[in-house]
Amino acid sequence: MAIQILLNFLIACIWMFLQSDTSTAAFLTGYFLGLLIIFAMRRAFSRRYYVYNIFAAFSLLAIFIKELLLANLSVLKVVLAPKIKASPGIFAYETNLEKPWEITVLSNLITLTPGTLVVEVSDDNKILYIHAMDMDDADKAREDIRNSFEKAIMEVSR
Amino acid sequence: MTEISKFIVGFLVLQGAFLSLAAAIGVLRLPDPYTRNHAASKSATLGVLSLLLGVFLYFWLLKGEINSKIILGIIFVFITSPVAGHLIMRAAYNIGIPLWKHSVQDDLKEKKRKESRE
């Protein structure tokens, strides 16, 4: 992915030199042409066309913000309820992600999810130990993590 | 236009203050360090974020100057506060602070016991 972006910058710079015009507009035109060229040459790269990854990163950011809002609502509900009723606990969650940065992003996401907080990551990076505010919701949380977060992160790193 | 932006700024700042208050109440009311950490790491994050966003929009829409340091501040808080929550949680667990008595499940205990036996 990084190599495609670098190549795109290079094409934009070459375009500027061809025009002998160093304005931002020329750079943007060249960048757009570079996008087209890289799209046409996409089978020459081992990774997929990098615009998809950028979209995936933005959708991951959207998930982050949405979960942060939901998490705050649920914390508000627990904190401001007349009587504290929670059944906290720690559950183990096996992750399929492998690279360290993916696991870091996943744990940050989990921490900002309603009712869950990461306590520990096992030494082999396979199991996350997650403290949940309400163990009744833990199965739902597990499904959520598996289906939406892991998928979104994999989509970015594909 | 100014009225709308004033309304948005006011709403964001009030929401941030309210969430920070809720985080403080949560820290006082919840029973054990782990659940307290839930309140502190979530509500305080969004509280600070919306306060900063409100300040940014105030200077942008009403004073006409873009202060990029505030944007950087938002990004830093957004990245670092979950990590801080996680580290406090982990340190608390490793020095052996017990869970709340109504806790129902503890998978990590099994693992720790296995490790200490080895």
Side-chain angles (χ1 to χ4, degrees):
Chain A
M1 182 185 157
I3 194 100
Q4 295 182 29
I5 294 177
L6 268 181
L7 205 59
N8 206 340
F9 265 88
L10 192 69
I11 293 172
C13 289
I14 290 175
W15 178 257
M16 287 198 309
F17 282 123
L18 283 174
Q19 305 280 307
S20 42
D21 172 11
T22 52
S23 66
T24 316
F27 180 82
L28 288 179
T29 320
Y31 200 87
F32 180 70
L33 286 176
L35 277 179
L36 292 181
I37 292 172
I38 289 177
F39 182 72
M41 304 269 288
R42 66 194 179 283
R43 296 186 60 183
F45 299 103
S46 56
R47 309 279 300 275
R48 63 180 177 162
Y49 188 42
Y50 78 92
V51 174
Y52 291 119
N53 293 63
I54 291 175
F55 276 122
F58 274 108
S59 72
L60 188 63
L61 187 68
I63 291 178
F64 246 108
I65 292 169
K66 187 190 118 206
E67 292 299 329
L68 185 60
L69 292 175
L70 289 179
N72 277 283
L73 270 183
S74 75
V75 166
L76 271 186
K77 254 186 229 157
V78 171
V79 165
L80 299 181
K83 210 170 171 201
I84 302 266
K85 54 168 200 288
S87 49
I90 295 177
F91 66 91
Y93 172 77
E94 269 181 55
T95 173
N96 302 321
L97 300 175
E98 276 153 12
K99 292 180 204 124
W101 74 264
E102 293 174 337
I103 293 170
T104 312
V105 171
L106 182 67
S107 354
N108 271 7
L109 250 178
I110 291 171
T111 299
L112 294 177
T113 322
T116 50
L117 241 168
V118 178
V119 182
E120 181 143 334
V121 183
S122 68
D123 296 333
D124 54 359
N125 286 348
K126 287 257 159 44
I127 302 173
L128 299 176
Y129 292 95
I130 301 172
H131 184 272
M133 197 78 148
D134 228 325
M135 281 309 282
D136 307 335
D137 298 342
D139 285 329
K140 196 182 154 289
R142 202 174 291 179
E143 281 301 302
D144 271 0
I145 295 167
R146 174 105 49 213
N147 290 334
S148 72
F149 304 160
E150 279 205 11
K151 225 178 250 172
I153 294 174
M154 275 177 188
E155 199 61 26
V156 174
S157 71
R158 203 174 82 183
Chain B
M1 188 60 209
T2 345
E3 290 307 313
I4 297 173
S5 32
K6 266 182 197 162
F7 179 77
I8 294 172
V9 167
F11 177 75
L12 278 174
V13 170
L14 281 180
Q15 177 197 324
F18 175 68
L19 282 173
S20 308
L21 178 69
I25 295 174
V27 169
L28 285 176
R29 280 193 73 197
L30 288 168
D32 73 342
Y34 304 101
T35 44
R36 262 176 242 150
N37 206 341
H38 274 275
S41 69
K42 291 190 185 104
S43 309
T45 312
L46 189 61
V48 173
L49 288 191
S50 18
L51 268 174
L52 284 175
L53 197 62
V55 172
F56 175 74
L57 288 180
Y58 174 78
F59 278 112
W60 185 29
L61 298 174
L62 299 172
K63 302 275 169 189
E65 52 184 274
I66 293 182
N67 195 339
S68 50
K69 277 178 214 155
I70 301 178
I71 294 289
L72 277 184
I74 289 176
I75 295 173
F76 282 150
V77 171
F78 196 57
I79 295 174
T80 51
S81 73
V83 181
H86 162 63
L87 281 180
I88 294 169
M89 212 59 169
R90 196 181 127 104
Y93 201 93
N94 283 343
I95 60 173
I97 292 173
L99 294 172
W100 189 32
K101 59 181 184 299
H102 293 298
S103 302
V104 282
Q105 189 182 348
D106 191 353
D107 287 348
L108 190 52
K109 208 197 292 179
E110 314 280 306
K111 180 203 159 208
K112 292 275 174 197
R113 200 182 295 142
K114 233 178 273 169
E115 268 176 8
S116 61
R117 214 180 289 144
E118 273 162 12

Coordinates of all heavy atoms in Angstrom, one line a residue, chain A residues 51-100:
Chain A
V51 N -6.8 2.8 -2.8 CA -7.9 3.6 -2.4 C -8.9 2.9 -1.5 O -9.5 3.4 -0.5 CB -8.6 4.2 -3.6 CG1 -9.9 4.9 -3.3 CG2 -7.7 5.1 -4.4
Y52 N -9.1 1.5 -1.8 CA -9.9 0.7 -0.9 C -9.5 0.8 0.5 O -10.3 0.9 1.5 CB -9.9 -0.7 -1.4 CG -10.6 -0.9 -2.7 CD1 -9.9 -1.4 -3.8 CD2 -11.9 -0.7 -2.9 CE1 -10.5 -1.6 -5.0 CE2 -12.6 -0.8 -4.1 CZ -11.8 -1.3 -5.2 OH -12.4 -1.5 -6.4
N53 N -8.1 0.7 0.7 CA -7.6 0.7 2.1 C -7.9 2.0 2.8 O -8.2 2.0 4.0 CB -6.1 0.4 2.1 CG -5.8 -0.9 1.6 OD1 -6.1 -1.3 0.5 ND2 -5.2 -1.7 2.5
I54 N -7.9 3.1 2.0 CA -8.1 4.4 2.6 C -9.6 4.5 3.1 O -9.9 4.9 4.2 CB -7.7 5.5 1.7 CG1 -6.2 5.5 1.5 CG2 -8.2 6.8 2.1 CD1 -5.7 6.5 0.5
F55 N -10.5 4.0 2.2 CA -11.9 3.9 2.6 C -12.1 3.1 3.8 O -12.8 3.5 4.8 CB -12.8 3.4 1.4 CG -13.1 4.4 0.4 CD1 -12.8 4.3 -0.9 CD2 -13.8 5.6 0.8 CE1 -13.1 5.3 -1.8 CE2 -14.1 6.5 -0.1 CZ -13.8 6.4 -1.4
A56 N -11.4 1.9 3.9 CA -11.5 1.0 5.0 C -11.1 1.7 6.3 O -11.7 1.6 7.4 CB -10.8 -0.2 4.8
A57 N -10.0 2.5 6.2 CA -9.5 3.2 7.4 C -10.5 4.2 7.8 O -10.7 4.4 9.0 CB -8.2 3.9 7.0
F58 N -11.2 4.9 6.9 CA -12.2 5.9 7.3 C -13.4 5.2 8.0 O -13.9 5.7 8.9 CB -12.6 6.7 6.1 CG -11.7 7.9 5.9 CD1 -10.9 8.0 4.8 CD2 -11.8 9.0 6.8 CE1 -10.1 9.1 4.6 CE2 -10.9 10.1 6.6 CZ -10.1 10.1 5.6
S59 N -13.8 4.0 7.4 CA -14.9 3.4 8.1 C -14.5 2.9 9.5 O -15.3 2.9 10.4 CB -15.4 2.2 7.2 OG -14.6 1.2 7.2
L60 N -13.2 2.5 9.6 CA -12.8 2.1 11.0 C -12.9 3.3 11.9 O -13.3 3.2 13.1 CB -11.3 1.6 10.9 CG -10.8 1.0 12.2 CD1 -11.5 -0.2 12.5 CD2 -9.3 0.7 12.0
L61 N -12.5 4.5 11.4 CA -12.6 5.7 12.3 C -14.0 6.0 12.6 O -14.3 6.3 13.8 CB -12.0 6.9 11.5 CG -11.9 8.2 12.3 CD1 -10.8 8.0 13.4 CD2 -11.5 9.3 11.4
A62 N -14.9 5.8 11.7 CA -16.4 6.0 11.9 C -16.8 5.0 13.0 O -17.6 5.4 13.9 CB -17.2 5.8 10.7
I63 N -16.4 3.8 12.9 CA -16.8 2.8 14.0 C -16.3 3.3 15.3 O -17.0 3.2 16.3 CB -16.2 1.4 13.6 CG1 -16.9 0.8 12.4 CG2 -16.4 0.5 14.8 CD1 -16.4 -0.5 12.0
F64 N -15.0 3.7 15.4 CA -14.4 4.2 16.6 C -15.3 5.3 17.2 O -15.7 5.2 18.4 CB -13.1 4.9 16.3 CG -11.9 4.2 16.9 CD1 -11.0 3.5 16.0 CD2 -11.6 4.3 18.2 CE1 -9.9 2.9 16.6 CE2 -10.5 3.7 18.7 CZ -9.7 3.0 17.9
I65 N -15.7 6.3 16.4 CA -16.5 7.4 17.0 C -17.9 6.9 17.5 O -18.3 7.3 18.5 CB -16.6 8.5 16.0 CG1 -15.2 9.1 15.7 CG2 -17.6 9.6 16.4 CD1 -15.1 10.0 14.6
K66 N -18.5 6.0 16.6 CA -19.8 5.6 17.0 C -19.7 4.8 18.3 O -20.6 5.0 19.2 CB -20.3 4.6 15.9 CG -21.7 4.2 16.0 CD -22.1 3.1 15.0 CE -22.5 1.8 15.8 NZ -22.2 0.6 15.0
E67 N -18.7 3.9 18.4 CA -18.6 3.1 19.7 C -18.3 4.0 20.9 O -18.8 3.7 22.0 CB -17.5 2.1 19.5 CG -17.8 1.0 18.5 CD -19.1 0.2 18.9 OE1 -19.4 0.1 20.1 OE2 -19.8 -0.2 18.0
L68 N -17.6 5.1 20.7 CA -17.3 6.0 21.8 C -18.5 6.6 22.3 O -18.8 6.7 23.5 CB -16.3 7.0 21.3 CG -15.8 8.0 22.4 CD1 -15.1 7.2 23.5 CD2 -14.8 9.0 21.8
L69 N -19.4 7.0 21.4 CA -20.7 7.6 21.8 C -21.6 6.6 22.5 O -22.1 6.9 23.6 CB -21.4 8.2 20.6 CG -20.8 9.4 19.9 CD1 -21.5 9.8 18.6 CD2 -20.7 10.6 20.8
L70 N -21.7 5.4 21.9 CA -22.5 4.4 22.6 C -22.0 4.0 24.0 O -22.7 3.9 24.9 CB -22.6 3.1 21.7 CG -23.4 3.3 20.4 CD1 -23.3 2.0 19.6 CD2 -24.8 3.6 20.8
A71 N -20.6 3.9 24.1 CA -20.0 3.6 25.3 C -20.4 4.6 26.4 O -20.7 4.3 27.5 CB -18.5 3.5 25.2
N72 N -20.3 5.9 26.0 CA -20.6 6.9 27.0 C -22.1 6.8 27.4 O -22.4 7.0 28.6 CB -20.3 8.3 26.4 CG -18.8 8.6 26.6 OD1 -18.4 8.9 27.7 ND2 -18.1 8.4 25.6
L73 N -23.0 6.5 26.5 CA -24.4 6.4 26.9 C -24.5 5.3 27.9 O -25.2 5.5 28.9 CB -25.2 6.1 25.6 CG -25.8 7.3 24.9 CD1 -26.7 6.9 23.8 CD2 -26.6 8.2 25.9
S74 N -23.9 4.2 27.6 CA -24.1 3.0 28.6 C -23.5 3.3 29.9 O -24.0 3.0 30.9 CB -23.6 1.7 28.0 OG -22.2 1.7 28.0
V75 N -22.3 4.0 29.9 CA -21.7 4.3 31.2 C -22.6 5.3 32.0 O -22.8 5.2 33.2 CB -20.3 5.0 31.0 CG1 -19.8 5.6 32.3 CG2 -19.3 3.9 30.6
L76 N -23.2 6.3 31.2 CA -24.1 7.2 31.9 C -25.3 6.5 32.5 O -25.6 6.8 33.6 CB -24.7 8.2 30.8 CG -23.9 9.4 30.6 CD1 -24.6 10.3 29.6 CD2 -23.6 10.2 31.9
K77 N -25.8 5.5 31.8 CA -26.9 4.7 32.3 C -26.6 4.1 33.6 O -27.3 4.1 34.6 CB -27.4 3.7 31.3 CG -28.7 4.1 30.5 CD -29.1 2.9 29.6 CE -29.4 3.4 28.3 NZ -29.3 2.4 27.3
V78 N -25.4 3.4 33.6 CA -25.0 2.7 34.8 C -24.8 3.7 36.0 O -25.2 3.5 37.1 CB -23.8 1.8 34.6 CG1 -23.2 1.3 35.9 CG2 -24.1 0.7 33.6
V79 N -24.0 4.8 35.7 CA -23.6 5.7 36.8 C -24.7 6.4 37.4 O -24.8 6.6 38.6 CB -22.5 6.6 36.2 CG1 -22.3 7.8 37.1 CG2 -21.2 5.9 36.0
L80 N -25.7 6.9 36.5 CA -26.7 7.7 37.0 C -28.0 6.9 37.5 O -28.9 7.5 38.0 CB -27.1 8.8 36.0 CG -26.0 9.7 35.5 CD1 -26.5 10.7 34.5 CD2 -25.4 10.4 36.7
A81 N -27.9 5.6 37.3 CA -29.1 4.8 37.8 C -29.1 4.9 39.3 O -28.1 5.0 40.0 CB -28.9 3.4 37.4
P82 N -30.3 4.9 39.9 CA -30.4 5.0 41.4 C -29.6 3.9 42.1 O -29.1 4.2 43.2 CB -31.9 4.9 41.7 CG -32.6 4.7 40.4 CD -31.6 4.8 39.3
K83 N -29.6 2.7 41.6 CA -28.9 1.7 42.3 C -27.9 1.0 41.3 O -28.3 0.7 40.2 CB -29.9 0.6 42.8 CG -29.5 -0.1 44.0 CD -30.6 -1.0 44.6 CE -30.0 -1.8 45.7 NZ -30.8 -3.0 46.0
I84 N -26.7 0.9 41.8 CA -25.7 0.3 40.9 C -26.0 -1.2 40.7 O -25.9 -2.0 41.7 CB -24.3 0.4 41.5 CG1 -24.0 1.9 41.7 CG2 -23.3 -0.2 40.6 CD1 -23.3 2.6 40.6
K85 N -26.4 -1.6 39.5 CA -26.5 -3.0 39.3 C -25.7 -3.4 38.1 O -26.0 -3.1 37.0 CB -28.0 -3.5 39.2 CG -28.8 -2.8 38.1 CD -30.1 -3.6 37.9 CE -30.7 -3.3 36.6 NZ -31.4 -2.0 36.5
A86 N -24.6 -4.1 38.4 CA -23.7 -4.6 37.4 C -23.2 -6.0 37.8 O -23.2 -6.3 39.0 CB -22.6 -3.6 37.2
S87 N -22.9 -6.8 36.8 CA -22.3 -8.1 37.2 C -21.0 -8.2 36.4 O -21.0 -8.8 35.4 CB -23.2 -9.2 36.9 OG -23.7 -9.1 35.6
P88 N -20.0 -7.5 36.9 CA -18.7 -7.5 36.1 C -18.0 -8.8 36.1 O -18.3 -9.7 36.9 CB -17.9 -6.4 36.9 CG -18.5 -6.3 38.2 CD -19.9 -6.8 38.2
G89 N -17.1 -8.9 35.2 CA -16.3 -10.2 35.1 C -15.3 -10.0 34.1 O -15.2 -9.0 33.4
I90 N -14.4 -11.0 34.0 CA -13.3 -11.0 33.0 C -13.5 -12.2 32.1 O -13.6 -13.3 32.6 CB -11.9 -11.0 33.7 CG1 -11.7 -9.7 34.5 CG2 -10.8 -11.2 32.6 CD1 -10.4 -9.7 35.2
F91 N -13.6 -12.0 30.8 CA -13.7 -13.1 29.9 C -12.5 -13.1 29.0 O -11.9 -12.1 28.7 CB -15.1 -13.2 29.2 CG -15.3 -12.1 28.3 CD1 -15.0 -12.2 26.9 CD2 -15.9 -10.9 28.7 CE1 -15.2 -11.2 26.0 CE2 -16.2 -9.9 27.8 CZ -15.8 -10.0 26.5
A92 N -12.2 -14.3 28.5 CA -11.1 -14.5 27.5 C -11.7 -14.4 26.1 O -12.8 -14.9 25.9 CB -10.4 -15.8 27.7
Y93 N -10.9 -13.8 25.3 CA -11.4 -13.6 23.9 C -10.2 -14.0 23.0 O -9.2 -13.4 23.0 CB -11.9 -12.2 23.6 CG -12.2 -11.9 22.2 CD1 -13.3 -12.4 21.6 CD2 -11.2 -11.2 21.4 CE1 -13.6 -12.2 20.3 CE2 -11.5 -11.0 20.0 CZ -12.7 -11.5 19.5 OH -12.9 -11.3 18.2
E94 N -10.5 -15.0 22.1 CA -9.4 -15.4 21.2 C -9.5 -14.5 19.9 O -10.6 -14.4 19.3 CB -9.5 -16.8 20.8 CG -8.8 -17.7 21.8 CD -8.9 -19.2 21.4 OE1 -8.6 -19.5 20.2 OE2 -9.3 -19.9 22.3
T95 N -8.4 -14.0 19.5 CA -8.4 -13.1 18.3 C -7.7 -13.8 17.2 O -6.8 -14.6 17.4 CB -7.8 -11.8 18.6 OG1 -7.7 -11.0 17.4 CG2 -6.4 -11.9 19.2
N96 N -8.1 -13.5 16.0 CA -7.5 -14.0 14.8 C -6.4 -13.1 14.2 O -5.7 -13.5 13.3 CB -8.5 -14.3 13.7 CG -9.6 -15.2 14.2 OD1 -9.3 -16.2 14.9 ND2 -10.8 -15.0 13.8
L97 N -6.4 -11.9 14.8 CA -5.4 -10.9 14.2 C -4.0 -11.3 14.6 O -3.8 -11.9 15.7 CB -5.7 -9.5 14.7 CG -7.1 -9.0 14.4 CD1 -7.4 -7.7 15.0 CD2 -7.2 -8.9 12.9
E98 N -3.0 -10.9 13.8 CA -1.7 -11.4 14.1 C -0.7 -10.3 14.3 O 0.2 -10.3 15.2 CB -1.2 -12.3 12.9 CG -1.7 -13.7 13.1 CD -1.8 -14.4 11.8 OE1 -1.3 -13.9 10.7 OE2 -2.4 -15.5 11.7
K99 N -0.7 -9.2 13.4 CA 0.3 -8.2 13.5 C 0.1 -7.4 14.8 O -1.0 -7.2 15.2 CB 0.3 -7.3 12.3 CG 0.7 -8.0 11.0 CD 0.6 -7.0 9.9 CE 0.4 -7.7 8.6 NZ -0.8 -7.3 7.8
P100 N 1.2 -7.0 15.4 CA 1.1 -6.2 16.7 C 0.2 -5.0 16.6 O -0.6 -4.7 17.5 CB 2.5 -5.8 17.0 CG 3.4 -6.8 16.3 CD 2.6 -7.3 15.1

